[in-house]
Amino acid sequence: MSNLTPIPGRLFHEDVAAAKPDHLALSPVLLGGGVFGFDYNTADTLKSSTPAETLRLCLRYGVTAIDTSPYYTIAEEVLGNALDEVRDEFPRSSYQIITKVGRYGRTKADGFDYSPERVRASVKKSMELLKTDYLDGLYCHDVEFVSEQIDDAGHAGWKVGPDGKLREEDLKRWGLADGDEATIRGPGDQRVLDAMATLFALKAEGVIRCVGFSGFPLPTLLRLARLVKAHLQPLDIMQSYCHHTLQNTTLATYIPLFEAAGVKQVISASPLSMGLLRNEGGQAWHPASPELLKAQAEAVAVVTKAGTTLEAVALGYGLASAGSSASHTPIVVGLSTPEEVHETMRVYAELYSNPEARAAREPGTGTFAGEAQKKQVELEGQVAEIIRKAGAFNWTWDSGV
């Protein structure tokens, strides 16, 4: 059996029961449940004791929130069984579950159902699989596949200028100008509003504590956050992924705009860019461009020469907050094994034992005293520069188009 003793002990001490209304008491790191499905692991691993051991160790470190989805193949079932196994040590009140509705298949044509009836049925099924009678958080999953597409908001390219800022002309063409907040652009937007209305109703019924949506293209997510606020009420939670990494730091630019749209908590996911920022690279299905793949290979050579791995450097940056210290931005990390949990917590303890060190920064910047921290910042800068020279820094791939 793996070593399930936390080293150097419990890192996070958030009181789950002490969360403010419409907020979740989230530690800086959340456990990403996608790894408990077939996209990232084999049937043999998922049927073994590894998921329960991984979960127990996460909870012992104080990682007390879990993010999952029906879309992640059998992840909800695997997590439900694992949660049942650790219930002797961790009762339901000691952790938080966030799952999703709306996405159930691979394609835009037949993988989505945002109807109120399916939303309610999906919530019921998820709670059965996860062995709970309430959910702490619920997202409409990959909302850009259902909403209307505005100009090139969801297409591959850059969603900030070369200076990392948004341009007025981009705000206008993406439907983000002042006065556009309540504009319903078509039936897709109405389906999103209907689904969100159902989520807010389930919240009022006490089934869910916080609601919101998740997705990839930040301009689309921002437009929809403003739309939902204008027609219903502000989002409690919102999750984006792959926008706070060594390859893409765009989330930092958008966070103040999400907050202005009333979003109470912004959560980031996938600091390794869906597995791309690892020595072994991403899965075959990863949508990285040829330029980005070439930069990844060059970055691996640099960090290997320095005696570390690309995933360690990428994780060290991704564990920092994407927002200011006042805008605490938790990060969802997929952890498949106890060894991965230990390594992630080691990196966190080494770099961010002082919580103030998590404040937002660009790769390769920050004032740190320790040698490990200085090495981390130096390698961050080198990796980011490789990606910049390849023309792939802050580049995003198609999503929802």
Side-chain angles (χ1 to χ4, degrees), residues 185-216:
R185 306 281 175 158
D189 285 1
Q190 188 59 57
R191 285 194 289 273
V192 172
L193 287 172
D194 291 345
M196 287 304 307
T198 305
L199 265 60
F200 282 119
L202 287 164
K203 178 183 173 182
E205 294 164 19
V207 178
I208 307 163
R209 294 182 173 176
C210 293
V211 302
F213 54 63
S214 67
F216 181 69

Side-chain angles (χ1 to χ4, degrees), residues 289 291-292 294-295 298 384-393:
S289 66
E291 294 82 4
L292 183 51
K294 183 173 182 292
E298 292 180 14
E385 184 60 22
I386 290 169
I387 296 171
R388 282 192 181 93
K389 288 181 177 180
F393 189 73

